[in-house]
Amino acid sequence: QVQLEESGGGLVQAGGSLRLACAASGRTFSRYTVAWFRQAPGKLREFVARVTGGAGSTNYADSVKARFTISRDNAKNTAYLQMNSLKSEDTAVYYCAAGTITADGRMVGTTYWGQGTQVTVSS
């Protein structure tokens, strides 16, 4: 089992940057794909990015490509989401998830979730 805890959210002006972190417990973290999702008020949860556990391949939603970068440090059991050129439409609660997650964000089988961290971008 894996427990996840996000950090790094906050209030930032449009055009600014934030780096989110997802700290995991458990010795099997490196085997899992880790993904970031977000949910804005009144909207469905949407996939943002994922990084696989083996080769560390990455995939992104079109809305964040070239602005966000997902990475992981298995030695620290932590995944990151570097967010640059933030826009007001990026405002949401951001969640990290670990499990079997496809390149377009579909989850297969058991998925572990963090509690979320709020990102607010002011225009």
Side-chain angles (χ1 to χ4, degrees):
Q1 195 167 4
V2 176
Q3 292 183 323
L4 305 173
E5 182 173 3
E6 303 93 338
S7 62
L11 174 65
V12 64
Q13 288 188 331
S17 298
L18 280 176
R19 188 174 84 152
L20 306 183
C22 174
S25 65
R27 293 176 293 176
T28 58
F29 174 74
S30 62
R31 301 179 189 175
Y32 292 108
T33 290
V34 176
W36 288 92
F37 293 81
R38 66 187 182 186
Q39 187 166 21
K43 295 188 177 181
L44 296 175
R45 182 181 62 199
E46 65 172 349
F47 168 74
V48 174
R50 72 148 195 178
V51 56
T52 63
S57 300
T58 58
N59 301 93
Y60 297 90
D62 287 344
S63 59
V64 305
K65 276 181 185 176
R67 299 190 298 122
F68 290 11
T69 303
I70 189 171
S71 61
R72 66 190 299 161
D73 184 339
N74 289 331
K76 295 182 178 180
N77 270 13
T78 302
Y80 304 95
L81 185 69
Q82 177 67 43
M83 306 186 295
N84 299 328
S85 302
L86 283 161
K87 305 175 182 179
S88 57
E89 52 262 46
D90 295 318
T91 295
V93 177
Y94 283 71
Y95 299 90
C96 70
T100 301
I101 303 169
T102 65
D104 59 354
R106 286 178 292 115
M107 290 159 279
V108 180
T110 300
T111 303
Y112 302 100
W113 291 90
Q115 83 289 347
T117 186
Q118 175 71 47
V119 171
T120 303
V121 184
S122 63
S123 56

